[in-house]
Amino acid sequence: MKTVLALLALVLAPPILITAPAQASTTWASVSAGGNHTCGIKPDGSLYCWGDNSNGQLGVGDTSDRDTPTRVGTSTSWKSVSSGDGHTCATHANGGIYCWGWNHDGQLGLGDTTDRHTPTRVGTSSSWKTVSSGARNHTCATHDNGGIYCWGYNIAGELGVGDTTNRLTPTRVGTSTSWTSVAAGYSHTCATHSNGGIYCWGDNSVGTLGVGGTTNRLSPARIGTSTSWTSVAVGVADTCATHSSGAIYCWGSNSNGQLGVGDTTTRGTPTRVGSSTSWKSVHLGGFHACATHSSGGIYCWGVNGQGQLGDGTTTDRHSPTRVGTSSSWKTVSAGGAHACARHTNGGIYCWGANFDGSLGLGDSDPRLVPTRV
């Protein structure tokens, strides 16, 4: 795994603006940007990955990097994909979860610590709903029974199972049957509940959990009393969430303005991002964040040394800054030092660092503005 440890150094290495060659039109149903790799699913249910493959995280049967989308197996029944740092997991139409890539701490959930270079099924359950691959070495998933299960690295309690012991197979988080989503970060995890609350657990050294103070939590801890949260996203040491009011709130580390609140001061509890009540979703990368707006625009903020904010510069932003002028964006996914988004024309556009071909453009040159894959 080489992404997270290198991110801070990337801030000091400004890229050259490159204009990409014309790309053939391709439509996509979803995209997930990981540490230095990216995966996407096409409308026919086929799965493609590209970028860093040093641990087999592309799932194509080897450890050679790819700088253009490369098909993973032959299945046309993939439903969703989640790109972590050195590993990737996906849900399948058969109800199963499949994981591949780095498995040093059991983050693939297969009962061992052996890497896999192709998708390998996690257990036998056919009732999984969603999966989230952490930016470090753990994974969490939601199940049809309403439970959350986590596995892998657990040094800070990021699995939420009440201790700091690694798990090699899915282990249930508490007893609740009312979880609605889960997001695995670097060393913390957050989830939404049917009661409208957000709960977080794991590392809290910089207020990452939003519960005040800096004490780690080994099991889910509720953030405040609001019953109106609609989604939650986690980064390396920061967290953001959308509220039913249409607002975004962020908390945790803010060394590069990644909270979007206009400064670089860490926050230990949810702090509102600007005054807009028209946000739709938010996604966190290494040290930057991107969000979709009801206007159809994408806004990004935080570190920008590799152009990961997509605004044509390498200047950090401490508050939301619009990506281009398009009002036709659908979703966005922020990776280690890059981001990718889906457009209403069916295309995926990526920008930022392009280490190992993570932008899927046939080279390793960074882009400062969205470029079609």
Side-chain angles (χ1 to χ4, degrees):
M1 183 179 70
K2 56 189 179 185
T3 303
V4 175
L5 296 179
L7 285 175
L8 284 173
L10 303 182
V11 179
L12 303 176
I16 299 171
L17 177 58
I18 301 292
T19 300
Q23 302 288 318
S25 295
T26 302
T27 58
W28 299 89
S30 68
V31 64
S32 175
N36 276 343
H37 76 291
T38 307
C39 294
I41 296 175
K42 291 188 176 181
D44 66 358
S46 58
L47 173 64
Y48 293 75
C49 294
W50 56 94
D52 177 28
N53 194 32
S54 55
N55 299 111
Q57 58 263 52
L58 300 189
V60 294
D62 57 43
T63 56
S64 299
D65 297 344
R66 303 295 200 280
D67 58 17
T68 57
T70 303
R71 185 158 180 178
V72 180
T74 59
S75 176
T76 55
S77 299
W78 296 107
K79 295 180 64 180
S80 71
V81 63
S82 177
S83 303
D85 185 14
H87 76 294
T88 307
C89 294
T91 58
H92 194 271
N94 63 17
I97 287 175
Y98 294 75
C99 295
W100 57 94
W102 202 42
N103 196 30
H104 183 270
D105 298 294
Q107 57 264 47
L108 302 188
L110 306 173
D112 57 43
T113 56
T114 303
D115 293 357
R116 302 298 200 280
H117 297 163
T118 56
T120 305
R121 187 160 184 166
V122 179
T124 58
S125 177
S126 57
S127 299
W128 296 108
K129 295 178 67 177
T130 67
V131 65
S132 178
S133 302
R136 198 179 192 181
N137 300 333
H138 79 291
T139 308
C140 293
T142 58
H143 195 271
D144 277 343
N145 63 17
I148 287 174
Y149 295 75
C150 295
W151 56 94
Y153 200 47
N154 195 30
I155 191 172
E158 53 264 61
L159 301 188
V161 294
D163 57 42
T164 56
T165 301
N166 294 356
R167 298 299 198 279
L168 303 184
T169 57
T171 303
R172 187 157 184 168
V173 178
T175 59
S176 177
T177 58
S178 300
W179 298 109
T180 54
S181 74
V182 65
Y186 184 70
S187 55
H188 77 293
T189 307
C190 294
T192 56
H193 195 271
S194 63
N195 63 15
I198 288 176
Y199 296 74
C200 294
W201 54 93
D203 180 49
N204 194 35
S205 57
V206 289
T208 319
L209 304 186
V211 294
T214 57
T215 302
N216 293 355
R217 300 294 199 277
L218 304 184
S219 57
R222 185 162 184 168
I223 297 174
T225 59
S226 176
T227 58
S228 299
W229 298 109
T230 55
S231 73
V232 64
V234 296
V236 171
D238 57 328
T239 309
C240 293
T242 56
H243 193 268
S244 63
S245 64
I248 288 175
Y249 291 78
C250 295
W251 57 93
S253 177
N254 195 29
S255 56
N256 297 104
Q258 59 263 48
L259 299 188
V261 294
D263 56 41
T264 57
T265 303
T266 293
R267 302 296 200 283
T269 56
T271 303
R272 186 161 178 172
V273 178
S275 58
S276 177
T277 56
S278 299
W279 296 109
K280 295 178 65 179
S281 70
V282 63
H283 199 278
L284 306 189
F287 299 94
H288 70 295
C290 293
T292 57
H293 194 269
S294 63
S295 65
I298 287 174
Y299 293 74
C300 296
W301 58 91
V303 72
N304 196 28
Q306 290 291 317
Q308 53 264 61
L309 302 189
D311 65 353
T313 76
T314 56
T315 303
D316 292 357
R317 307 291 188 198
H318 299 165
S319 57
T321 302
R322 187 154 185 169
V323 178
T325 59
S326 176
S327 57
S328 300
W329 296 109
K330 297 184 70 175
T331 64
V332 65
S333 178
H338 72 293
C340 296
R342 286 195 308 124
H343 195 272
T344 56
N345 64 16
I348 287 176
Y349 294 73
C350 296
W351 59 92
N354 195 19
F355 304 109
D356 308 309
S358 54
L359 301 188
L361 304 173
D363 56 46
S364 57
D365 300 313
R367 302 300 197 278
L368 302 187
V369 295
T371 306
R372 187 161 184 168
V373 179

PDB file of all heavy atoms in Angstrom, residues 21 24 35 52 85 122 133 148 184 204 243 245 255 369:
ATOM      1  N   PRO A  21      -6.051  13.749 -25.092  1.00  0.00           N
ATOM      2  CA  PRO A  21      -6.554  13.474 -26.433  1.00  0.00           C
ATOM      3  C   PRO A  21      -8.025  13.105 -26.368  1.00  0.00           C
ATOM      4  O   PRO A  21      -8.540  12.734 -25.322  1.00  0.00           O
ATOM      5  CB  PRO A  21      -5.710  12.262 -26.872  1.00  0.00           C
ATOM      6  CG  PRO A  21      -5.292  11.612 -25.596  1.00  0.00           C
ATOM      7  CD  PRO A  21      -5.099  12.734 -24.623  1.00  0.00           C
ATOM      8  N   ALA A  24     -13.006   8.090 -26.844  1.00  0.00           N
ATOM      9  CA  ALA A  24     -14.223   7.513 -27.403  1.00  0.00           C
ATOM     10  C   ALA A  24     -15.343   7.587 -26.373  1.00  0.00           C
ATOM     11  O   ALA A  24     -15.119   7.417 -25.187  1.00  0.00           O
ATOM     12  CB  ALA A  24     -13.965   6.057 -27.797  1.00  0.00           C
ATOM     13  N   GLY A  35      -7.547   4.944  -3.676  1.00  0.00           N
ATOM     14  CA  GLY A  35      -6.290   5.604  -3.377  1.00  0.00           C
ATOM     15  C   GLY A  35      -5.584   6.068  -4.633  1.00  0.00           C
ATOM     16  O   GLY A  35      -5.505   7.261  -4.924  1.00  0.00           O
ATOM     17  N   ASP A  52      -3.373   1.999 -10.185  1.00  0.00           N
ATOM     18  CA  ASP A  52      -2.423   1.210  -9.397  1.00  0.00           C
ATOM     19  C   ASP A  52      -2.935  -0.212  -9.178  1.00  0.00           C
ATOM     20  O   ASP A  52      -4.078  -0.416  -8.767  1.00  0.00           O
ATOM     21  CB  ASP A  52      -2.210   1.916  -8.053  1.00  0.00           C
ATOM     22  CG  ASP A  52      -1.283   1.149  -7.125  1.00  0.00           C
ATOM     23  OD1 ASP A  52      -0.416   0.402  -7.618  1.00  0.00           O
ATOM     24  OD2 ASP A  52      -1.420   1.312  -5.896  1.00  0.00           O
ATOM     25  N   ASP A  85      -7.873   1.645  -0.728  1.00  0.00           N
ATOM     26  CA  ASP A  85      -6.512   2.008  -1.075  1.00  0.00           C
ATOM     27  C   ASP A  85      -5.847   0.862  -1.819  1.00  0.00           C
ATOM     28  O   ASP A  85      -5.667   0.920  -3.027  1.00  0.00           O
ATOM     29  CB  ASP A  85      -5.733   2.379   0.188  1.00  0.00           C
ATOM     30  CG  ASP A  85      -4.331   2.886  -0.123  1.00  0.00           C
ATOM     31  OD1 ASP A  85      -4.071   3.197  -1.305  1.00  0.00           O
ATOM     32  OD2 ASP A  85      -3.498   2.968   0.784  1.00  0.00           O
ATOM     33  N   VAL A 122     -16.988 -13.241  -0.396  1.00  0.00           N
ATOM     34  CA  VAL A 122     -16.890 -13.126   1.059  1.00  0.00           C
ATOM     35  C   VAL A 122     -17.986 -13.977   1.690  1.00  0.00           C
ATOM     36  O   VAL A 122     -19.172 -13.617   1.638  1.00  0.00           O
ATOM     37  CB  VAL A 122     -17.028 -11.662   1.509  1.00  0.00           C
ATOM     38  CG1 VAL A 122     -16.944 -11.551   3.029  1.00  0.00           C
ATOM     39  CG2 VAL A 122     -15.957 -10.796   0.843  1.00  0.00           C
ATOM     40  N   SER A 133     -15.185  -0.012   1.129  1.00  0.00           N
ATOM     41  CA  SER A 133     -13.778  -0.369   1.333  1.00  0.00           C
ATOM     42  C   SER A 133     -13.050   0.812   1.952  1.00  0.00           C
ATOM     43  O   SER A 133     -13.044   1.909   1.387  1.00  0.00           O
ATOM     44  CB  SER A 133     -13.121  -0.723  -0.008  1.00  0.00           C
ATOM     45  OG  SER A 133     -13.785  -1.786  -0.639  1.00  0.00           O
ATOM     46  N   ILE A 148     -24.877  -4.060  10.415  1.00  0.00           N
ATOM     47  CA  ILE A 148     -23.605  -3.702   9.805  1.00  0.00           C
ATOM     48  C   ILE A 148     -22.566  -4.731  10.239  1.00  0.00           C
ATOM     49  O   ILE A 148     -22.527  -5.122  11.412  1.00  0.00           O
ATOM     50  CB  ILE A 148     -23.145  -2.292  10.224  1.00  0.00           C
ATOM     51  CG1 ILE A 148     -23.996  -1.217   9.540  1.00  0.00           C
ATOM     52  CG2 ILE A 148     -21.666  -2.069   9.899  1.00  0.00           C
ATOM     53  CD1 ILE A 148     -23.689   0.187  10.012  1.00  0.00           C
ATOM     54  N   ALA A 184     -16.627   3.435   5.466  1.00  0.00           N
ATOM     55  CA  ALA A 184     -15.358   3.102   6.108  1.00  0.00           C
ATOM     56  C   ALA A 184     -14.279   4.077   5.648  1.00  0.00           C
ATOM     57  O   ALA A 184     -14.106   4.290   4.442  1.00  0.00           O
ATOM     58  CB  ALA A 184     -14.948   1.668   5.755  1.00  0.00           C
ATOM     59  N   ASN A 204     -10.332   8.950  17.050  1.00  0.00           N
ATOM     60  CA  ASN A 204     -10.937  10.262  17.301  1.00  0.00           C
ATOM     61  C   ASN A 204      -9.885  11.277  17.733  1.00  0.00           C
ATOM     62  O   ASN A 204     -10.190  12.267  18.384  1.00  0.00           O
ATOM     63  CB  ASN A 204     -12.011  10.133  18.398  1.00  0.00           C
ATOM     64  CG  ASN A 204     -12.914  11.357  18.488  1.00  0.00           C
ATOM     65  OD1 ASN A 204     -13.225  11.980  17.476  1.00  0.00           O
ATOM     66  ND2 ASN A 204     -13.328  11.696  19.699  1.00  0.00           N
ATOM     67  N   HIS A 243     -27.620  16.860   5.532  1.00  0.00           N
ATOM     68  CA  HIS A 243     -28.749  17.010   6.449  1.00  0.00           C
ATOM     69  C   HIS A 243     -30.016  17.187   5.634  1.00  0.00           C
ATOM     70  O   HIS A 243     -29.977  17.619   4.480  1.00  0.00           O
ATOM     71  CB  HIS A 243     -28.491  18.235   7.336  1.00  0.00           C
ATOM     72  CG  HIS A 243     -29.386  18.356   8.511  1.00  0.00           C
ATOM     73  ND1 HIS A 243     -30.562  19.071   8.475  1.00  0.00           N
ATOM     74  CD2 HIS A 243     -29.274  17.877   9.776  1.00  0.00           C
ATOM     75  CE1 HIS A 243     -31.141  19.034   9.664  1.00  0.00           C
ATOM     76  NE2 HIS A 243     -30.380  18.304  10.471  1.00  0.00           N
ATOM     77  N   SER A 245     -32.067  19.351   5.740  1.00  0.00           N
ATOM     78  CA  SER A 245     -32.240  20.764   5.408  1.00  0.00           C
ATOM     79  C   SER A 245     -31.556  21.130   4.105  1.00  0.00           C
ATOM     80  O   SER A 245     -31.718  22.230   3.581  1.00  0.00           O
ATOM     81  CB  SER A 245     -31.659  21.637   6.519  1.00  0.00           C
ATOM     82  OG  SER A 245     -30.249  21.442   6.610  1.00  0.00           O
ATOM     83  N   SER A 255      -6.392  20.494   8.193  1.00  0.00           N
ATOM     84  CA  SER A 255      -5.075  21.060   7.914  1.00  0.00           C
ATOM     85  C   SER A 255      -4.963  21.713   6.551  1.00  0.00           C
ATOM     86  O   SER A 255      -4.151  22.623   6.356  1.00  0.00           O
ATOM     87  CB  SER A 255      -4.008  19.967   8.048  1.00  0.00           C
ATOM     88  OG  SER A 255      -4.317  18.866   7.199  1.00  0.00           O
ATOM     89  N   VAL A 369      -8.478  19.819 -14.794  1.00  0.00           N
ATOM     90  CA  VAL A 369      -9.915  19.982 -15.058  1.00  0.00           C
ATOM     91  C   VAL A 369     -10.495  18.623 -15.457  1.00  0.00           C
ATOM     92  O   VAL A 369      -9.757  17.718 -15.881  1.00  0.00           O
ATOM     93  CB  VAL A 369     -10.182  21.017 -16.181  1.00  0.00           C
ATOM     94  CG1 VAL A 369      -9.735  22.413 -15.737  1.00  0.00           C
ATOM     95  CG2 VAL A 369      -9.456  20.619 -17.462  1.00  0.00           C
TER      96      VAL A 369
END
